[in-house]
């Protein structure tokens, strides 16, 4: 039975390839999403560790004013924290939007941002690779990787556009991010600590990082720092601040991941319909074969299992290919996000065991679930059908089915249009719903088109009146039988 | 002149297949059609029996009901010592699997399997291992030893039907049912297949029941049972084509 299954698979390569392609695409999207979010997550962890690893205590506004911002802190607080016994250095943190214009006057592409250069090396991830740190408002250091991409070096004069306006500055140094050449997925302009707040047009510091003197415990220092802070300002350990940053990163990552996953699930939904269609056609084509198996003594279960085995093999191979394609999808998605300003790291994709298991499980599961109904139908074929030139059982009302398919296609298209164009509609909901409805309709239309299409694919003229799908399928089925039509006595 | 005797009552010795008062009705009420209107017939073990009759005589229906492919609406049917009347689908499937071989008009080989795999298919379905010596003997008997690795599409119709005959014989079934086995063949290939069935009966002790409308095919049998309008109208031992034809003409003239 298994051999017959394998032969059947290799005999129907085109249909198999189309079916498998649907599963491959769906699994690729799901796997790609997980790969991308795992990869990004790892890179973010690395960034957070590099940025906060040397910081012992972080002073920040106690209340968050928006998703990723807290109440700004005044300059005076820097001195207050530095006066606490056991604090060896402090640095105010400030970041802002930036653009860079090269000496020739062209905007340097990249996802640019600007931040303050902390004097104390423990309080910044940046390590000078060339030149010196920026000391005045007219000087900047550049992310070394970004500078290389932009073709800039120490001594170049450039124009930076910050929230405070445009400034002509000199590049005095190039800095790596930790051990990396630059920050992952973004390009950074580093501003002199004393001028940063003015240049960034920031109302205050986002936070103040403190470095403990040698031998001073971070938690003990946090307590001493907390004691001198005004109301509404809190002190947390560096470890706590990193954990918070990771949590925020995970949350924003989950948001991206879930919207990508929605695409993946929609494509699997489509795949399911293609599989249902493909196996329904397969079963219709092989009614005589299934009937023969039954006549020769195969149980309903054996015939059903043969079809399900076929589905299992298709699902396994397609899912494996889908995971491989998922790596490409992850790369493509990260490029897409980068071009829209949401830069993500592109080096060293992370493929975890859970990702592989989830992708395999979803791909195989969807394939099996979609094949179940056709498989059960194959098992119910009467053994007498092997002796008769009977047509495959037809179901439903063809006209009503076509009307429903056209209506669903139109409704889905309308919903997608509404999601894209109309105001006051949740675009994601409309797009998701529209896609689902459209694919239901398209699957129905495909089913109607399958008969004529099959005849075209099998090299026959479609010039004659198109027969209903089941008649075409029967014709295909009889093609595998000898030419003489069986006569009934 | 044809020697036609009336159908005998069922004998008490165990027949390979037997129908008693077999009825098959399609439709209901006024539209009811009696495909079988009370058939009593025995098919002796080790014999080659042909069932003949004009179109609509019920000969195919009789075969389907005896072979567990269809069920009677009245009367009883046995296969060897097993009564198959009233068996559920699962048990009927097992009866077909373990006790019956089929030869179809349209050969019904699976195009993606080789001849060898097609011949072994019933055993594979049953989860049984092939007896190597017996397999070789059957394959030699049908003359397919050089074609075992061919696909059905690479064979002539006659070769395909001989492969199908080997498939029916390899499981040593109690009865081989052949449904118009020569209907799709030219006369020479048809004669080869009939000779093959003949030899299976004589040399292997196989029981063969064949439905045919061809007097020449029927002449290869030990005995011919005639059906008309769902009833047995007579039978003929040691038939010749001419006598069968005459009898058929007589039937048709009624």
């Amino acid at each position: 039975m298994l051999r017959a299954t394998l032969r059947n698979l290799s005999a129907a390569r085109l249909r198999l390839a189309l079916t498998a392609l649907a599963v491959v695409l769906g699994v690729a999207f799901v796997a790609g999403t997980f790969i991308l979010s795992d990869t990004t997550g790892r890179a973010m962890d690395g960034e957070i560790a590099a940025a906060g690893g040397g910081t012992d205590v972080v002073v920040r506004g106690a209340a968050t004013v928006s998703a990723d911002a807290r109440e700004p802190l005044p300059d005076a607080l820097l001195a207050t924290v530095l006066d606490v016994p056991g604090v060896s250095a402090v640095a105010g943190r400030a970041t802002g939007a930036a653009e860079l214009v090269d000496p020739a006057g062209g905007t340097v592409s990249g996802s640019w941002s600007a931040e303050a250069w902390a004097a104390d090396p423990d309080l910044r991830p940046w390590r000078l690779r060339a030149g010196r740190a920026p000391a005045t408002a007219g000087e900047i250091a550049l992310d070394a990787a970004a500078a290389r991409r932009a073709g800039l070096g120490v001594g170049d004069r450039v124009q930076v556009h910050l929230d405070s306006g445009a400034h002509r500055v000199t590049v005095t140094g190039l800095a790596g991010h930790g051990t990396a050449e630059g920050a992952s997925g973004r390009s950074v302009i580093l501003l002199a600590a004393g001028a940063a707040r003015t240049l960034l047009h920031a109302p205050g510091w986002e936070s103040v990082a403190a470095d403990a003197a040698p031998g001073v415990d971070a938690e003990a220092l946090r307590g001493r720092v907390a004691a001198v802070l005004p109301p509404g300002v809190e002190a947390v350990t560096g470890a706590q601040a990193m954990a918070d940053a990771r949590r925020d990163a995970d949350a924003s990552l989950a948001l991206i991941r879930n919207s990508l996953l929605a695409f993946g699930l929609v494509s699997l939904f489509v795949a399911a319909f293609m599989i249902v269609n493909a196996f329904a056609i397969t079963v219709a084509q092989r009614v005589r074969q299934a009937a023969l198996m039954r006549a020769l003594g195969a149980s309903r279960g054996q015939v059903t299992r043969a079809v399900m085995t076929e589905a299992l093999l298709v699902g396994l191979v397609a899912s494996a290919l889908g995971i491989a394609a998922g790596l490409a999808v992850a790369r493509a998605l990260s490029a897409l996000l980068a071009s829209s300003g949401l830069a993500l790291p592109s080096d060293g994709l992370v493929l975890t065991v859970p990702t592989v298991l989830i992708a395999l499980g979803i791909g195989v599961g969807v394939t099996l679930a979609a094949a179940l109904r056709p498989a059960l139908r194959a098992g119910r074929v009467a053994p007498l059908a092997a002796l008769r030139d009977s047509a495959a059982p037809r179901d439903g009302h063809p006209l009503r089915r076509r009307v429903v398919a056209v209506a669903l296609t139109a409704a889905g298209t309308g919903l997608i249009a509404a999601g894209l164009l109309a105001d006051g509609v949740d675009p994601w909901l409309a797009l998701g719903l529209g896609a689902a409805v459209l694919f239901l309709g398209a699957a129905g239309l495909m089913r109607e088109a399958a008969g004529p299409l099959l005849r075209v694919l099998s090299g026959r003229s479609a010039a004659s009146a198109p027969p209903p799908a089941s008649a075409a399928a029967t014709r295909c089925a009889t093609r595998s039988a000898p030419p003489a039509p069986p006569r009934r006595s | 002149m044809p020697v036609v005797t009336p159908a005998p009552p069922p004998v008490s010795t165990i027949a390979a297949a037997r129908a008693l008062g077999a009825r098959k009705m399609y439709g209901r009420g006024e539209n009811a059609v009696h495909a079988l209107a009370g058939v009593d017939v025995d098919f002796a073990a080790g014999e080659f029996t042909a069932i003949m009759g004009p179109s609509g005589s019920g000969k195919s229906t009789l075969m389907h009901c005896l072979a567990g492919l269809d069920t009677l609406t009245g009367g009883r049917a046995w296969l060897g010592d097993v009564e198959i009347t009233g068996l559920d689908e699962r048990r009927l499937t097992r009866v077909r699997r373990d006790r019956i071989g089929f030869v179809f008009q349209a050969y019904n080989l699976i195009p993606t399997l080789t001849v060898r795999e097609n011949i072994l298919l019933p055993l594979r379905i049953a989860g049984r291992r092939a007896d190597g010596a017996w397999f070789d003997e059957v394959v030699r008997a049908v003359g397919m030893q050089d074609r075992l690795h061919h696909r059905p599409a690479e064979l002539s119709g006659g070769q395909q039907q001989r492969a199908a005959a080997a498939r029916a014989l390899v499981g040593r079934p109690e009865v081989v049912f052949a449904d118009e086995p020569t209907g799709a063949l030219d006369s020479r290939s048809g004669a080869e297949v009939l000779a093959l069935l003949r030899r299976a009966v004589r040399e292997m002790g196989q029981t063969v029941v064949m439905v045919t409308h061809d007097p020449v095919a029927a002449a290869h049998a030990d005995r011919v049972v005639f059906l008309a309008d769902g009833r047995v109208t007579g039978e003929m031992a040691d038939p010749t084509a001419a006598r069968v034809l005459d009898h058929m003409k007589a039937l048709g003239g009624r």
Side-chain angles (χ1 to χ4, degrees):
Chain A
M1 294 292 274
L2 181 63
R3 196 171 316 190
T5 300
L6 290 174
R7 293 287 165 73
N8 282 332
L9 284 175
S10 64
R13 282 185 207 92
L14 177 68
R15 181 180 50 72
L16 182 71
L18 289 175
T19 311
L21 185 66
V23 182
V24 169
L25 290 178
V27 170
F29 230 101
V30 171
T33 302
F34 279 110
I35 292 167
L36 182 68
S37 67
D38 287 345
T39 304
T40 311
R42 190 184 67 173
M44 281 185 169
D45 276 0
E47 285 256 304
I48 289 165
T55 301
D56 295 298
V57 175
V58 174
V59 175
R60 64 191 189 189
T64 52
V65 294
S66 73
D68 54 354
R70 290 166 183 270
E71 203 62 49
L73 306 175
D75 276 334
L77 207 58
L78 287 172
T80 309
V81 175
L82 188 58
D83 283 347
V84 174
V87 172
S88 67
V90 294
R93 282 186 187 148
T95 57
E99 268 192 70
L100 190 68
V101 179
D102 64 23
T107 305
V108 179
S109 69
S111 163
W112 288 96
S113 65
E115 60 186 64
W117 173 273
D120 186 286
D122 278 352
L123 298 180
R124 56 171 152 82
W126 300 101
R127 297 286 175 267
L128 271 178
R129 293 196 160 199
R132 58 174 177 80
T136 69
E139 294 175 355
I140 61 166
L142 280 179
D143 174 336
R148 181 171 51 76
R149 284 197 293 271
L152 295 171
V154 173
D156 283 340
R157 287 191 59 77
V158 293
Q159 200 178 11
V160 290
H161 293 254
L162 303 169
D163 284 346
S164 60
H167 307 273
R168 296 204 66 82
V169 294
T170 306
V171 178
T172 60
L174 302 179
H177 191 266
T179 54
E181 192 189 8
S184 105
R186 60 201 171 96
S187 305
V188 183
I189 296 166
L190 295 155
L191 307 170
R197 217 166 61 63
T198 313
L199 287 170
L200 292 169
H201 200 61
W205 301 100
E206 287 160 18
S207 64
V208 171
D211 190 19
V216 176
D217 175 60
E219 178 55 37
L221 187 62
R222 188 203 66 81
R224 287 206 292 278
V225 169
V228 304
L229 294 177
V233 181
E234 64 176 8
V236 295
T237 59
Q240 177 65 46
M242 284 205 305
D244 290 350
R246 285 210 175 92
R247 203 190 52 223
D248 292 349
D250 283 349
S252 62
L253 209 58
L255 205 68
I256 298 173
R257 184 175 61 219
N258 290 343
S259 46
L260 289 177
L261 263 185
F263 277 109
L265 293 179
V266 166
S267 52
L268 273 170
F269 191 68
V270 186
F273 276 91
M274 290 184 69
I275 296 161
V276 170
N277 272 310
F279 276 90
I281 294 168
T282 306
V283 166
Q285 279 178 326
R286 292 210 296 260
V287 161
R288 288 176 69 89
Q289 187 169 321
L292 173 70
M293 296 279 205
R294 296 279 288 119
L296 295 182
S299 65
R300 289 181 174 186
Q302 279 178 302
V303 173
T304 297
R305 279 197 298 278
V307 177
M308 290 306 279
T309 306
E310 208 170 313
L312 177 69
L313 293 172
V314 171
L316 275 175
V317 171
S319 300
L321 289 174
I323 291 168
L327 291 166
V329 167
R331 229 175 253 289
L333 280 177
S334 106
L336 194 73
L337 290 172
S339 74
S340 68
L342 241 171
L344 297 168
S346 59
D347 46 22
L349 293 173
V350 178
L351 180 60
T352 63
V353 171
T355 299
V356 171
L357 292 182
I358 288 172
L360 274 181
I362 289 181
V364 172
V366 165
T367 313
L368 286 181
L372 187 61
R373 212 175 91 95
L376 287 173
R377 231 175 91 161
R380 281 198 296 267
V381 168
L384 262 184
L387 288 86
R388 291 176 179 155
D389 189 23
S390 65
R394 287 176 67 175
D395 51 0
H397 306 270
L399 182 66
R400 193 191 300 170
R401 228 168 44 210
R402 275 169 218 178
V403 169
V404 168
V406 169
L408 284 175
T409 307
T413 312
L415 274 170
I416 288 175
L420 290 174
L421 306 173
D423 292 330
V425 183
D426 180 352
W428 289 108
L429 185 69
L431 283 177
L433 209 63
V437 172
L438 173 63
F439 286 128
L440 276 171
L445 288 179
M446 262 174 59
R447 182 196 174 107
E448 296 306 313
L453 198 65
L454 261 178
R455 291 194 312 149
V456 172
L457 290 178
S458 61
R460 293 178 178 210
S461 159
S464 57
S470 60
T474 309
R475 207 165 294 176
C476 290
T478 51
R479 219 151 41 94
S480 58
R487 276 169 300 208
R488 291 209 57 213
S489 58
Chain B
M1 284 301 289
V3 179
V4 177
T5 57
V11 289
S12 57
T13 54
I14 289 191
R18 166 192 284 185
L20 193 60
R23 292 176 175 278
K24 179 72 180 181
M25 194 169 69
Y26 294 107
R28 282 161 179 264
E30 289 178 16
N31 299 325
V33 176
H34 290 270
L36 297 177
V39 171
D40 297 327
V41 67
D42 274 21
F43 297 97
E47 253 191 22
F48 186 177
T49 311
I51 306 177
M52 286 207 72
S55 280
S57 62
K59 58 186 191 293
S60 284
T61 305
L62 176 63
M63 195 202 90
H64 296 162
C65 291
L66 285 172
L69 290 169
D70 207 345
T71 50
L72 292 172
T73 45
R76 303 168 74 181
W78 287 264
L79 206 70
D81 54 353
V82 175
E83 176 163 8
I84 59 173
T85 331
L87 289 186
D88 61 20
E89 175 54 39
R90 207 166 46 83
R91 291 203 179 83
L92 272 183
T93 300
R94 204 166 300 156
V95 165
R96 288 198 302 270
R97 191 184 79 183
D98 297 336
R99 296 171 175 266
I100 293 173
F102 286 107
V103 180
F104 303 98
Q105 179 182 2
Y107 329 139
N108 288 38
L109 299 173
I110 290 183
T112 49
L113 296 181
T114 64
V115 166
R116 182 192 165 79
E117 289 159 349
N118 265 294
I119 293 173
L120 290 173
L121 185 62
L123 296 178
R124 288 269 153 74
I125 287 172
R128 278 152 63 193
R129 293 193 65 82
D131 170 346
W134 176 245
F135 175 83
D136 291 343
E137 188 179 337
V138 167
V139 167
R140 258 199 311 278
V142 302
M144 293 301 289
Q145 57 270 35
D146 299 328
R147 298 276 189 277
L148 285 178
H149 300 290
H150 288 60
R151 296 288 169 88
E154 299 166 324
L155 304 178
S156 71
Q159 287 170 327
Q160 289 191 56
Q161 194 62 303
R162 274 150 49 201
R167 179 180 66 189
L169 293 170
V170 76
R172 301 183 202 255
E174 291 179 24
V175 185
V176 168
F177 287 102
D179 186 8
E180 303 272 7
T182 59
L185 299 177
D186 61 61
S187 58
R188 195 173 137 267
S189 304
E192 278 175 13
V193 169
L194 290 164
L196 169 65
L197 292 175
R198 175 74 264 169
R199 268 208 315 285
V201 172
R202 192 168 51 229
E203 292 166 18
M204 300 172 176
Q206 182 65 58
T207 306
V208 176
V209 175
M210 171 177 74
V211 165
T212 183
H213 66 277
D214 176 7
V216 176
H220 285 77
D222 294 316
R223 187 169 74 115
V224 182
V225 174
F226 294 96
L227 252 66
D229 299 328
R231 287 192 172 77
V232 175
T233 59
E235 68 164 72
M236 181 188 293
D238 304 316
T240 65
R243 287 167 61 213
V244 172
L245 191 60
D246 286 344
H247 185 75
M248 291 297 288
K249 278 180 185 156
L251 276 182
R254 276 204 302 200

